[in-house]
Amino acid sequence: MFRLTLILSLLSSTTAFGVVNRRQALMESLSSAAAVTAVVASGAAPAFAEPTDETARSVSRFGGLLEKYQDSNRGWLIMAPSGWNKFDGEVGAYDVKWQDLVDPRDNIKVSSTPVKSTTTSINALGDDVQAIGEGLATKRNAKLISASERLTEGILFYEFDFAINDGTHQLLQLSVNKGRIWSLDANTVEKRWSKKEELYRSVVGSFMPKLN
């Protein structure tokens, strides 16, 4: 449901990301990014306000519910749910997905797509994380619960919490590193969110699009 194209719909309105044309043809621009587009197109350098305090990457195993997973080929790591089914590479949808054995609506996906080499941070979208999140929520028929940013190991992350009208609750995290935009989304049904929240936030906080 929440395919990589949903992430690209956010990015397609700013030329800083240089998304390949065949993807651009499928995307709509988000009105919340219009001001960013104008600045980038004009060649002016926007003034970004970034967090200055580092937040440590989560490495908790959550009492054995999480285990370290490292993708050596693509160069990223995460604390992933242990005992869940793992699926590799559905083109245009995800790079890796973990899915609960009992209910497939509980799932976590990592996706990535290339960006221009000159784009080195997710702040190319702008520094108003709340406005970006509200734009995403509108496009997806969802309520934005929260939007935040953090700096971990020198990489800026944007994180969004959505209550989607189809009954899904989702955490979405975006970042840029090594010439790619990285998306991590963690999904469950709304009625289980209170039980899953702490675990999911630990997973999201553990993702790092580089190897230590």
Side-chain angles (χ1 to χ4, degrees), residues 3-44:
R3 295 156 58 90
L4 184 58
T5 54
L6 292 174
I7 307 308
L8 295 178
S9 69
L10 173 62
L11 302 181
S12 62
S13 59
T14 172
T15 57
F17 280 87
V19 180
V20 292
N21 290 335
R22 60 191 176 89
R23 291 189 185 275
Q24 285 181 324
L26 302 175
M27 308 307 165
E28 293 179 332
S29 296
L30 276 180
S31 58
S32 63
V36 180
T37 304
V39 172
V40 174
S42 70

Side-chain angles (χ1 to χ4, degrees), residues 71-132:
D71 188 322
S72 299
N73 291 330
R74 284 170 285 213
W76 55 270
L77 52 87
I78 193 174
M79 299 300 293
S82 58
W84 284 22
N85 286 324
K86 175 178 166 290
F87 302 91
D88 292 313
E90 182 178 323
V91 177
Y94 58 81
D95 295 342
V96 179
K97 178 174 74 171
W98 288 268
Q99 183 173 288
D100 183 65
L101 293 172
V102 177
D103 192 336
R105 293 175 296 178
D106 288 355
N107 60 79
I108 294 170
K109 300 188 293 292
V110 175
S111 310
S112 67
T113 198
V115 295
K116 285 185 177 180
S117 60
T118 53
T119 301
T120 58
S121 173
I122 196 65
N123 69 8
L125 287 177
D127 61 345
D128 192 339
V129 182
Q130 183 72 23
I132 295 169

Side-chain angles (χ1 to χ4, degrees), residues 126-134 144 147-149 157-160:
D127 61 345
D128 192 339
V129 182
Q130 183 72 23
I132 295 169
E134 289 171 354
L144 177 66
S148 61
E149 59 184 335
F157 295 86
Y158 285 177
E159 183 179 314
F160 307 97

